């Protein structure tokens, strides 16, 4: 049984989560998150903790951002798009139980504001790794995001996630070596 309550987008996501693990969920009902849902998530965070587990697409990232800004200290589960794809549809509901369990086993927690956490990974590191201003930068960020367990993001957001989720320089270098050894 997962102690925290998992925030998902809809009923099909809840069904997929419950196929994989014993857990309770809160459904946002899509990207138009209402105030009542946000209050339920706040209460869940205070009482048991929250894991945000949204679809690896634009709408899912929008929901993740809304919840994380409103409710600090949430844990995040990221699913690679390739593991959430079925007949052109991207969503948690399409993921295998194994993929869901793997995402939940590799949670990332945001660094609390004011903790003095400094970014170990710099913009220069991203440039040198070909994650910015590179012909395949988007593809490379997708692979690195999956390896680091922080999901896909544009360059600016990728840098922010590295800082927010306290990615160490060593973690970053290991992921980069893995990506390059796999021949990109």
């Amino acid at each position: 049984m997962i102690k925290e309550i998992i925030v998902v987008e809809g009923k099909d996501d809840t069904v997929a989560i419950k196929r994989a693990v014993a857990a309770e969920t809160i459904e946002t009902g899509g990207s138009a998150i209402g105030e009542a849902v946000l209050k339920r998530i706040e209460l869940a965070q205070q009482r048991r903790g929250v894991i945000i587990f949204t679809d690896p697409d634009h709408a899912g990232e929008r929901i993740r951002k809304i919840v994380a800004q409103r409710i600090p200290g949430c844990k995040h589960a990221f699913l690679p798009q390739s593991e959430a794809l079925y007949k052109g549809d991207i969503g948690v509901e399409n993921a295998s139980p194994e993929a869901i369990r793997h995402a939940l086993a590799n949670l990332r927690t945001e660094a609390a504001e004011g903790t003095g956490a400094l970014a170990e990974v710099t913009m220069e590191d991203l440039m040198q790794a070909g994650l910015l201003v590179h012909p395949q930068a988007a593809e490379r960020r997708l692979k690195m995001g999956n390896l680091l367990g922080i999901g896909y993001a544009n360059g600016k957001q990728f840098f922010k996630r590295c800082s927010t989720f306290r990615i160490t320089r060593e973690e970053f270098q290991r992921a980069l070596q893995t990506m390059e050894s796999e021949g990109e």
Side-chain angles (χ1 to χ4, degrees):
M1 175 75 176
I2 304 248
K3 177 188 82 119
E4 298 89 351
I5 295 177
I6 302 174
V7 174
V8 295
E9 293 180 49
K11 291 180 177 132
D12 292 338
D13 297 334
T14 292
V15 170
I17 296 289
K18 291 186 181 217
R19 270 196 321 255
V21 294
E24 291 181 52
T25 63
I26 294 175
E27 297 162 6
T28 66
S31 60
I33 303 174
E35 186 62 28
V37 172
L38 286 169
K39 286 187 186 283
R40 283 181 54 217
I41 296 169
E42 281 178 332
L43 182 61
Q45 175 69 341
Q46 292 168 9
R47 303 273 169 97
R48 292 178 49 190
V50 165
I51 299 170
I52 303 172
F53 199 171
T54 55
D55 295 348
D57 61 10
H58 180 72
E61 289 304 315
R62 181 178 178 279
I63 293 166
R64 183 183 298 277
K65 189 174 182 179
I66 289 168
V67 174
Q69 283 179 340
R70 171 81 176 258
I71 302 140
C74 293
K75 294 178 182 175
H76 294 259
F78 291 95
L79 193 61
Q81 285 185 349
S82 61
E83 294 182 13
L85 190 61
Y86 179 73
K87 293 185 178 179
D89 178 48
I90 294 176
V92 170
E93 73 272 12
N94 300 323
S96 69
E98 295 77 27
I100 291 170
R101 284 191 289 270
H102 184 264
L104 290 169
N106 292 287
L107 296 173
R108 292 288 184 172
T109 304
E110 295 179 37
E113 286 188 37
T115 59
L118 297 174
E120 283 193 36
V121 177
T122 65
M123 281 291 211
E124 182 64 29
D125 294 328
L126 298 184
M127 291 282 285
Q128 289 178 356
L131 302 177
L132 304 172
V133 195
H134 183 278
Q136 287 85 40
E139 287 176 41
R140 293 174 67 83
R141 282 193 309 274
L142 175 63
K143 289 175 184 173
M144 282 290 284
N146 290 340
L147 289 168
L148 291 168
I150 61 173
Y152 174 77
N154 66 30
K156 186 176 177 182
Q157 286 301 312
F158 194 90
F159 175 71
K160 184 176 180 192
R161 282 187 186 176
C162 285
S163 176
T164 300
F165 296 120
R166 299 180 191 152
I167 302 299
T168 65
R169 187 171 300 267
E170 292 77 27
E171 282 179 285
F172 184 82
Q173 290 300 326
R174 275 194 309 269
L176 183 60
Q177 288 172 350
T178 299
M179 180 179 75
E180 289 174 349
S181 71
E182 291 173 354
E184 296 187 55

Short mmCIF file of all heavy atoms in Angstrom, two decimals, residues 98-146:
data_model
loop_
_atom_site.label_atom_id
_atom_site.label_comp_id
_atom_site.label_asym_id
_atom_site.label_seq_id
_atom_site.Cartn_x
_atom_site.Cartn_y
_atom_site.Cartn_z
N GLU A 98 3.96 -2.75 -14.67
CA GLU A 98 5.40 -2.70 -14.37
C GLU A 98 5.94 -1.28 -14.55
O GLU A 98 6.74 -0.81 -13.74
CB GLU A 98 6.18 -3.66 -15.27
CG GLU A 98 5.86 -5.13 -15.05
CD GLU A 98 4.53 -5.58 -15.67
OE1 GLU A 98 4.08 -4.99 -16.68
OE2 GLU A 98 3.94 -6.51 -15.13
N ALA A 99 5.52 -0.60 -15.63
CA ALA A 99 5.98 0.77 -15.88
C ALA A 99 5.50 1.70 -14.78
O ALA A 99 6.25 2.59 -14.33
CB ALA A 99 5.50 1.25 -17.24
N ILE A 100 4.28 1.51 -14.32
CA ILE A 100 3.73 2.34 -13.24
C ILE A 100 4.50 2.09 -11.94
O ILE A 100 4.89 3.03 -11.25
CB ILE A 100 2.22 2.08 -13.06
CG1 ILE A 100 1.46 2.64 -14.28
CG2 ILE A 100 1.70 2.66 -11.75
CD1 ILE A 100 0.01 2.26 -14.35
N ARG A 101 4.75 0.82 -11.62
CA ARG A 101 5.51 0.50 -10.41
C ARG A 101 6.92 1.09 -10.48
O ARG A 101 7.44 1.60 -9.49
CB ARG A 101 5.56 -1.01 -10.18
CG ARG A 101 4.25 -1.58 -9.64
CD ARG A 101 4.38 -3.01 -9.17
NE ARG A 101 4.57 -3.95 -10.25
CZ ARG A 101 3.59 -4.57 -10.90
NH1 ARG A 101 2.32 -4.36 -10.56
NH2 ARG A 101 3.85 -5.42 -11.87
N HIS A 102 7.55 1.03 -11.66
CA HIS A 102 8.89 1.59 -11.83
C HIS A 102 8.87 3.11 -11.59
O HIS A 102 9.75 3.64 -10.90
CB HIS A 102 9.44 1.28 -13.23
CG HIS A 102 10.83 1.75 -13.43
ND1 HIS A 102 11.13 2.96 -14.03
CD2 HIS A 102 12.03 1.19 -13.09
CE1 HIS A 102 12.43 3.11 -14.05
NE2 HIS A 102 13.01 2.07 -13.49
N ALA A 103 7.88 3.80 -12.15
CA ALA A 103 7.78 5.25 -11.96
C ALA A 103 7.57 5.59 -10.48
O ALA A 103 8.16 6.54 -9.96
CB ALA A 103 6.64 5.82 -12.80
N LEU A 104 6.76 4.79 -9.80
CA LEU A 104 6.50 5.05 -8.38
C LEU A 104 7.70 4.67 -7.50
O LEU A 104 7.85 5.20 -6.40
CB LEU A 104 5.25 4.30 -7.93
CG LEU A 104 3.94 4.85 -8.49
CD1 LEU A 104 2.78 3.90 -8.22
CD2 LEU A 104 3.65 6.24 -7.94
N ALA A 105 8.54 3.79 -7.98
CA ALA A 105 9.74 3.41 -7.22
C ALA A 105 10.85 4.44 -7.39
O ALA A 105 11.83 4.42 -6.65
CB ALA A 105 10.22 2.03 -7.66
N ASN A 106 10.71 5.31 -8.38
CA ASN A 106 11.76 6.30 -8.67
C ASN A 106 11.21 7.71 -8.55
O ASN A 106 11.38 8.54 -9.44
CB ASN A 106 12.31 6.05 -10.08
CG ASN A 106 13.08 4.75 -10.14
OD1 ASN A 106 14.17 4.65 -9.63
ND2 ASN A 106 12.47 3.73 -10.72
N LEU A 107 10.57 7.99 -7.44
CA LEU A 107 9.97 9.30 -7.20
C LEU A 107 11.03 10.38 -7.05
O LEU A 107 12.14 10.11 -6.59
CB LEU A 107 9.13 9.27 -5.91
CG LEU A 107 7.91 8.36 -5.93
CD1 LEU A 107 7.29 8.32 -4.53
CD2 LEU A 107 6.89 8.83 -6.95
N ARG A 108 10.65 11.57 -7.41
CA ARG A 108 11.49 12.76 -7.21
C ARG A 108 10.72 13.71 -6.30
O ARG A 108 9.52 13.88 -6.46
CB ARG A 108 11.80 13.46 -8.53
CG ARG A 108 12.69 12.68 -9.45
CD ARG A 108 14.10 12.67 -8.90
NE ARG A 108 15.01 12.01 -9.81
CZ ARG A 108 16.30 12.01 -9.65
NH1 ARG A 108 16.84 12.64 -8.63
NH2 ARG A 108 17.08 11.38 -10.49
N THR A 109 11.42 14.32 -5.36
CA THR A 109 10.80 15.28 -4.46
C THR A 109 11.40 16.64 -4.73
O THR A 109 12.62 16.77 -4.87
CB THR A 109 11.02 14.89 -2.98
OG1 THR A 109 10.53 13.56 -2.79
CG2 THR A 109 10.28 15.83 -2.05
N GLU A 110 10.54 17.64 -4.77
CA GLU A 110 11.01 19.00 -5.01
C GLU A 110 11.82 19.51 -3.82
O GLU A 110 11.50 19.21 -2.68
CB GLU A 110 9.81 19.95 -5.19
CG GLU A 110 8.99 19.66 -6.41
CD GLU A 110 7.82 20.62 -6.53
OE1 GLU A 110 7.97 21.80 -6.19
OE2 GLU A 110 6.77 20.15 -6.97
N ALA A 111 12.84 20.28 -4.12
CA ALA A 111 13.60 20.95 -3.06
C ALA A 111 12.72 22.08 -2.53
O ALA A 111 12.17 22.85 -3.31
CB ALA A 111 14.90 21.52 -3.62
N ALA A 112 12.57 22.16 -1.23
CA ALA A 112 11.76 23.22 -0.65
C ALA A 112 12.45 24.56 -0.85
O ALA A 112 13.67 24.65 -0.77
CB ALA A 112 11.55 22.95 0.84
N GLU A 113 11.65 25.58 -1.11
CA GLU A 113 12.22 26.92 -1.28
C GLU A 113 12.86 27.36 0.03
O GLU A 113 12.38 27.05 1.10
CB GLU A 113 11.13 27.91 -1.68
CG GLU A 113 10.70 27.75 -3.12
CD GLU A 113 9.77 28.85 -3.57
OE1 GLU A 113 9.97 30.00 -3.16
OE2 GLU A 113 8.84 28.54 -4.32
N GLY A 114 13.97 28.05 -0.09
CA GLY A 114 14.64 28.54 1.10
C GLY A 114 15.54 27.53 1.77
O GLY A 114 16.08 27.78 2.82
N THR A 115 15.70 26.33 1.14
CA THR A 115 16.57 25.32 1.75
C THR A 115 18.02 25.55 1.38
O THR A 115 18.90 24.84 1.83
CB THR A 115 16.18 23.89 1.30
OG1 THR A 115 16.27 23.82 -0.13
CG2 THR A 115 14.81 23.51 1.78
N GLY A 116 18.25 26.54 0.53
CA GLY A 116 19.61 26.84 0.13
C GLY A 116 20.16 25.86 -0.89
O GLY A 116 21.35 25.83 -1.14
N ALA A 117 19.26 25.06 -1.49
CA ALA A 117 19.71 24.09 -2.50
C ALA A 117 20.15 24.84 -3.75
O ALA A 117 19.38 25.56 -4.35
CB ALA A 117 18.57 23.13 -2.82
N LEU A 118 21.41 24.70 -4.08
CA LEU A 118 21.94 25.33 -5.27
C LEU A 118 21.99 24.31 -6.39
O LEU A 118 22.24 23.13 -6.16
CB LEU A 118 23.35 25.88 -5.00
CG LEU A 118 23.45 26.98 -3.95
CD1 LEU A 118 24.91 27.30 -3.68
CD2 LEU A 118 22.71 28.22 -4.40
N ALA A 119 21.79 24.78 -7.59
CA ALA A 119 21.83 23.90 -8.75
C ALA A 119 23.26 23.41 -8.96
O ALA A 119 24.18 24.21 -9.05
CB ALA A 119 21.33 24.64 -9.98
N GLU A 120 23.42 22.11 -8.99
CA GLU A 120 24.74 21.54 -9.29
C GLU A 120 24.94 21.50 -10.79
O GLU A 120 26.04 21.63 -11.28
CB GLU A 120 24.86 20.13 -8.71
CG GLU A 120 25.10 20.11 -7.23
CD GLU A 120 25.54 18.73 -6.75
OE1 GLU A 120 26.28 18.04 -7.48
OE2 GLU A 120 25.14 18.37 -5.66
N VAL A 121 23.84 21.25 -11.52
CA VAL A 121 23.90 21.18 -12.98
C VAL A 121 23.66 22.60 -13.50
O VAL A 121 22.68 23.24 -13.16
CB VAL A 121 22.84 20.20 -13.53
CG1 VAL A 121 22.86 20.18 -15.05
CG2 VAL A 121 23.06 18.80 -12.96
N THR A 122 24.58 23.06 -14.32
CA THR A 122 24.49 24.42 -14.84
C THR A 122 23.98 24.44 -16.28
O THR A 122 23.94 23.40 -16.95
CB THR A 122 25.88 25.09 -14.81
OG1 THR A 122 26.74 24.40 -15.73
CG2 THR A 122 26.48 25.07 -13.42
N MET A 123 23.63 25.63 -16.76
CA MET A 123 23.23 25.79 -18.15
C MET A 123 24.39 25.39 -19.06
O MET A 123 24.17 24.81 -20.12
CB MET A 123 22.82 27.24 -18.45
CG MET A 123 21.42 27.55 -17.98
SD MET A 123 20.21 26.66 -19.00
CE MET A 123 18.88 27.80 -18.93
N GLU A 124 25.60 25.68 -18.63
CA GLU A 124 26.78 25.28 -19.41
C GLU A 124 26.85 23.76 -19.55
O GLU A 124 27.18 23.24 -20.61
CB GLU A 124 28.05 25.83 -18.75
CG GLU A 124 29.33 25.52 -19.48
CD GLU A 124 29.42 26.15 -20.88
OE1 GLU A 124 28.82 27.22 -21.10
OE2 GLU A 124 30.09 25.56 -21.74
N ASP A 125 26.51 23.04 -18.46
CA ASP A 125 26.48 21.57 -18.53
C ASP A 125 25.47 21.11 -19.57
O ASP A 125 25.74 20.18 -20.33
CB ASP A 125 26.12 20.97 -17.16
CG ASP A 125 27.17 21.20 -16.10
OD1 ASP A 125 28.37 21.25 -16.45
OD2 ASP A 125 26.79 21.31 -14.92
N LEU A 126 24.31 21.75 -19.60
CA LEU A 126 23.28 21.38 -20.57
C LEU A 126 23.75 21.65 -21.99
O LEU A 126 23.50 20.85 -22.90
CB LEU A 126 21.97 22.13 -20.29
CG LEU A 126 21.28 21.88 -18.95
CD1 LEU A 126 19.95 22.63 -18.89
CD2 LEU A 126 21.06 20.41 -18.69
N MET A 127 24.43 22.78 -22.18
CA MET A 127 24.96 23.13 -23.51
C MET A 127 25.98 22.08 -23.95
O MET A 127 25.91 21.57 -25.07
CB MET A 127 25.62 24.51 -23.48
CG MET A 127 24.68 25.67 -23.29
SD MET A 127 23.80 26.11 -24.77
CE MET A 127 25.09 26.92 -25.68
N GLN A 128 26.93 21.77 -23.08
CA GLN A 128 27.99 20.81 -23.43
C GLN A 128 27.43 19.42 -23.69
O GLN A 128 27.99 18.67 -24.48
CB GLN A 128 29.04 20.76 -22.33
CG GLN A 128 29.89 22.00 -22.28
CD GLN A 128 30.91 21.96 -21.15
OE1 GLN A 128 30.96 21.04 -20.36
NE2 GLN A 128 31.75 23.00 -21.10
N ALA A 129 26.31 19.08 -23.05
CA ALA A 129 25.69 17.77 -23.23
C ALA A 129 24.79 17.71 -24.47
O ALA A 129 24.21 16.67 -24.76
CB ALA A 129 24.89 17.40 -21.98
N GLY A 130 24.68 18.85 -25.17
CA GLY A 130 23.84 18.88 -26.36
C GLY A 130 22.36 18.89 -26.06
O GLY A 130 21.54 18.45 -26.86
N LEU A 131 22.00 19.40 -24.89
CA LEU A 131 20.60 19.46 -24.49
C LEU A 131 19.97 20.81 -24.82
O LEU A 131 18.76 20.99 -24.69
CB LEU A 131 20.46 19.16 -22.99
CG LEU A 131 21.02 17.81 -22.55
CD1 LEU A 131 20.91 17.64 -21.05
CD2 LEU A 131 20.34 16.65 -23.26
N LEU A 132 20.81 21.76 -25.23
CA LEU A 132 20.37 23.09 -25.65
C LEU A 132 21.11 23.43 -26.94
O LEU A 132 22.26 23.01 -27.12
CB LEU A 132 20.71 24.15 -24.60
CG LEU A 132 20.19 23.96 -23.18
CD1 LEU A 132 20.79 25.01 -22.26
CD2 LEU A 132 18.68 24.04 -23.16
N VAL A 133 20.49 24.21 -27.80
CA VAL A 133 21.12 24.72 -29.02
C VAL A 133 21.89 23.61 -29.75
O VAL A 133 23.07 23.74 -30.06
CB VAL A 133 22.06 25.91 -28.72
CG1 VAL A 133 22.41 26.65 -30.01
CG2 VAL A 133 21.44 26.87 -27.73
N HIS A 134 21.22 22.53 -30.01
CA HIS A 134 21.81 21.38 -30.69
C HIS A 134 20.73 20.84 -31.63
O HIS A 134 19.55 20.88 -31.29
CB HIS A 134 22.20 20.33 -29.64
CG HIS A 134 22.89 19.12 -30.19
ND1 HIS A 134 22.21 18.08 -30.76
CD2 HIS A 134 24.20 18.79 -30.25
CE1 HIS A 134 23.08 17.15 -31.16
NE2 HIS A 134 24.29 17.57 -30.85
N PRO A 135 21.10 20.36 -32.80
CA PRO A 135 20.08 19.87 -33.74
C PRO A 135 19.15 18.80 -33.17
O PRO A 135 17.98 18.73 -33.53
CB PRO A 135 20.91 19.30 -34.91
CG PRO A 135 22.24 19.96 -34.81
CD PRO A 135 22.46 20.28 -33.36
N GLN A 136 19.66 17.96 -32.26
CA GLN A 136 18.82 16.93 -31.63
C GLN A 136 18.58 17.21 -30.15
O GLN A 136 18.36 16.29 -29.37
CB GLN A 136 19.48 15.54 -31.77
CG GLN A 136 19.42 14.96 -33.16
CD GLN A 136 20.58 15.46 -34.02
OE1 GLN A 136 21.70 15.59 -33.55
NE2 GLN A 136 20.29 15.76 -35.28
N ALA A 137 18.57 18.48 -29.77
CA ALA A 137 18.43 18.84 -28.35
C ALA A 137 17.14 18.28 -27.74
O ALA A 137 17.18 17.74 -26.63
CB ALA A 137 18.48 20.36 -28.17
N ALA A 138 16.03 18.38 -28.44
CA ALA A 138 14.76 17.89 -27.88
C ALA A 138 14.81 16.38 -27.66
O ALA A 138 14.40 15.89 -26.60
CB ALA A 138 13.60 18.26 -28.81
N GLU A 139 15.33 15.64 -28.64
CA GLU A 139 15.46 14.18 -28.49
C GLU A 139 16.37 13.84 -27.33
O GLU A 139 16.10 12.91 -26.56
CB GLU A 139 16.05 13.57 -29.75
CG GLU A 139 15.12 13.50 -30.93
CD GLU A 139 15.85 12.97 -32.16
OE1 GLU A 139 16.65 12.01 -32.02
OE2 GLU A 139 15.64 13.52 -33.24
N ARG A 140 17.47 14.56 -27.22
CA ARG A 140 18.44 14.30 -26.15
C ARG A 140 17.84 14.60 -24.77
O ARG A 140 18.06 13.86 -23.82
CB ARG A 140 19.73 15.08 -26.39
CG ARG A 140 20.50 14.59 -27.63
CD ARG A 140 21.70 15.46 -27.96
NE ARG A 140 22.76 15.40 -26.95
CZ ARG A 140 23.68 14.44 -26.88
NH1 ARG A 140 23.68 13.45 -27.74
NH2 ARG A 140 24.61 14.49 -25.93
N ARG A 141 17.05 15.70 -24.67
CA ARG A 141 16.40 16.01 -23.39
C ARG A 141 15.38 14.95 -23.03
O ARG A 141 15.23 14.59 -21.85
CB ARG A 141 15.73 17.39 -23.43
CG ARG A 141 16.68 18.55 -23.29
CD ARG A 141 15.96 19.85 -23.03
NE ARG A 141 14.90 20.13 -23.97
CZ ARG A 141 15.05 20.74 -25.16
NH1 ARG A 141 16.26 21.16 -25.53
NH2 ARG A 141 14.03 20.94 -25.95
N LEU A 142 14.68 14.42 -24.02
CA LEU A 142 13.72 13.35 -23.77
C LEU A 142 14.43 12.13 -23.17
O LEU A 142 14.01 11.60 -22.15
CB LEU A 142 12.98 12.97 -25.06
CG LEU A 142 12.02 11.79 -24.98
CD1 LEU A 142 10.88 12.09 -24.01
CD2 LEU A 142 11.48 11.46 -26.35
N LYS A 143 15.54 11.73 -23.78
CA LYS A 143 16.29 10.57 -23.29
C LYS A 143 16.89 10.84 -21.91
O LYS A 143 16.81 10.00 -21.02
CB LYS A 143 17.38 10.19 -24.29
CG LYS A 143 16.81 9.59 -25.55
CD LYS A 143 17.88 9.33 -26.59
CE LYS A 143 17.24 8.82 -27.87
NZ LYS A 143 18.18 8.70 -28.96
N MET A 144 17.48 12.01 -21.74
CA MET A 144 18.08 12.35 -20.44
C MET A 144 17.00 12.46 -19.36
O MET A 144 17.21 12.00 -18.24
CB MET A 144 18.87 13.66 -20.53
CG MET A 144 20.23 13.53 -21.17
SD MET A 144 21.42 12.64 -20.16
CE MET A 144 21.83 13.90 -18.95
N GLY A 145 15.88 13.07 -19.69
CA GLY A 145 14.79 13.20 -18.73
C GLY A 145 14.30 11.84 -18.27
O GLY A 145 14.01 11.63 -17.09
N ASN A 146 14.21 10.88 -19.21
CA ASN A 146 13.81 9.52 -18.84
C ASN A 146 14.87 8.86 -17.97
O ASN A 146 14.54 8.21 -16.98
CB ASN A 146 13.53 8.69 -20.09
CG ASN A 146 12.27 9.14 -20.82
OD1 ASN A 146 11.40 9.80 -20.24
ND2 ASN A 146 12.18 8.81 -22.08
#
